[in-house]
Amino acid sequence: MPELPEVETVATGLHRRVAGDVIESIWLGDKPQTFKSKPAEIAATVEGTLISAVRRVGKHIVVDLEAPGAKSEVRQWIVHLGMTGRFLVVDPAVELAKHTHAIARLKSGRELRFVDPRRFGKLAVVREGAGFAGPGSEPLTITREDFIQLFRRRKSPIKAALLNQKLLHGVGNIYADEALFRAGIRPKRHAGKLTRDELTRLHKELVKVLRAAIKAGGTTVSDYVDSAGESGLFQFRLRAYGRTGEPCLRCKTPIKRIVVGGRSTHYCPKCQG
DNA sequence: AGGTTGACCTGGACGC
DNA sequence: TGCGTCCAGGTCAACC
């Protein structure tokens, strides 16, 4: 899936295209695993509302909704894409993709469809603005000092800590590897043993790589597409992720693949000390 | 309590 | 062509 840059791309694309539209009705499929809130509650929350905004929080897409005559009431449709989820705006004439789990019919005549083969994605609704995101900071806005403090006394490998959504929101396997490569830090290093200089570098490189990936419309490895069905472009600029055995772009040493925290991890054994 | 592992799913790539 | 195995961008619950 979709990590922060991909979710950001989908959310901003949806915002541009459907903000101001009205959800007239919604159809929900029969795979219970997809629905974190009860289907009846999802329908009751979204039907008849105006989409006031679509934005990203961590790896979640938040659709802000306004019920007629109740502008101040909090209503949100929360979509998590899991690994293979797609959230698309399409013409109703477009053939239904296999594994379509939700279809919202919009007043403009278009449809908002949620498609997810592996079913790790989730749909939910929130009614009182009670945080669904939990603890953790946004990597694009956290200060350098707070970033450094996050990893104090952590014994897990820095790679695993970067993926821990209770610490940072939105970093996944691709960008964790990329940030560590660019900062020259070995993924297995204990987070708590990194120096201030190393963490400063990591913070800077993480922000840089996330921003560059957003600009490129995200990374498409296999499934990811934006809200219009378009692939991203950042896969052509990856330096470590998925480059097992290929020469390091800095020193030509073959990139190594290991497993850290159960996730496949790519790094340069020479540049990342 | 913090850290690690396996389970949840489908489908594509690869080897025989 | 067909079957088996492995792998995949995420998250939890269950264990140590």
Side-chain angles (χ1 to χ4, degrees):
Chain A
M1 138 131 144
E3 307 180 28
L4 186 153
E6 291 75 36
V7 179
E8 176 87 16
T9 302
V10 173
T12 54
L14 285 174
H15 182 82
R16 220 175 298 128
R17 303 165 72 209
V18 304
D21 213 331
V22 170
I23 300 176
E24 292 194 319
S25 61
I26 191 166
W27 168 87
L28 299 168
D30 61 358
K31 297 287 189 289
Q33 193 192 76
T34 302
F35 307 107
K36 215 173 163 188
S37 306
K38 290 195 190 81
E41 200 196 336
I42 295 176
T45 303
V46 309
E47 286 186 336
T49 61
L50 179 124
I51 298 172
S52 55
V54 186
R55 57 204 169 87
R56 176 194 66 78
V57 174
K59 292 178 193 169
H60 302 266
I61 297 165
V62 179
V63 184
D64 290 310
L65 304 168
E66 256 174 40
K71 278 201 171 173
S72 59
E73 182 198 350
V74 173
R75 284 200 194 200
Q76 294 170 329
W77 181 13
I78 311 295
V79 178
H80 195 295
L81 300 174
M83 295 263 264
T84 54
R86 299 178 171 201
F87 203 21
L88 302 157
V89 185
V90 290
D91 185 283
V94 172
E95 195 182 346
L96 270 197
K98 203 175 165 185
H99 307 296
T100 298
H101 305 301
I103 305 171
R105 287 170 279 265
L106 304 178
K107 197 170 181 180
S108 61
R110 300 169 298 171
E111 290 180 348
L112 206 43
R113 296 185 188 170
F114 178 70
V115 181
D116 183 16
R118 272 176 86 182
R119 273 184 268 146
F120 289 168
K122 297 272 179 281
L123 303 185
V125 289
V126 168
R127 293 197 91 147
E128 283 308 313
F132 60 88
S137 306
E138 282 289 331
L140 294 181
T141 51
I142 189 172
T143 65
R144 182 184 63 185
E145 197 51 39
D146 287 347
F147 183 88
I148 290 169
Q149 295 306 319
L150 278 184
F151 303 103
R152 282 194 61 181
R153 283 194 293 260
R154 290 260 147 204
K155 292 183 77 183
S156 60
I158 183 62
K159 163 79 185 264
L162 283 172
L163 295 179
N164 184 346
Q165 303 294 303
K166 291 194 172 100
L167 300 177
L168 277 178
H169 289 166
V171 181
N173 208 32
I174 294 175
Y175 299 106
D177 280 4
E178 290 300 304
L180 288 167
F181 175 85
R182 287 157 209 243
I185 297 167
R186 199 168 282 247
K188 272 198 172 166
R189 295 272 306 281
H190 286 337
K193 289 194 178 157
L194 294 176
T195 65
R196 288 183 61 88
D197 277 2
E198 287 172 321
L199 287 171
T200 298
R201 239 157 51 215
L202 182 57
H203 177 233
K204 203 172 117 197
E205 295 301 327
L206 178 61
V207 169
K208 264 168 65 182
V209 74
L210 292 174
R211 289 227 169 98
I214 290 169
K215 240 184 200 168
T219 299
T220 297
V221 172
S222 57
D223 299 274
Y224 164 74
V225 292
D226 69 11
S227 64
E230 299 289 328
S231 295
L233 290 171
F234 201 73
Q235 60 276 20
F236 302 114
R237 291 162 58 189
L238 297 175
R239 298 182 194 170
Y241 181 83
R243 298 194 63 247
T244 312
E246 292 174 43
C248 168
L249 296 172
R250 199 184 297 154
C251 77
K252 310 256 198 297
T253 302
I255 296 292
K256 228 174 141 176
R257 178 188 177 277
I258 58 173
V259 174
V260 181
R263 315 299 304 281
S264 100
T265 297
H266 315 74
Y267 74 103
C268 172
K270 192 171 169 202
C271 295
Q272 294 173 257

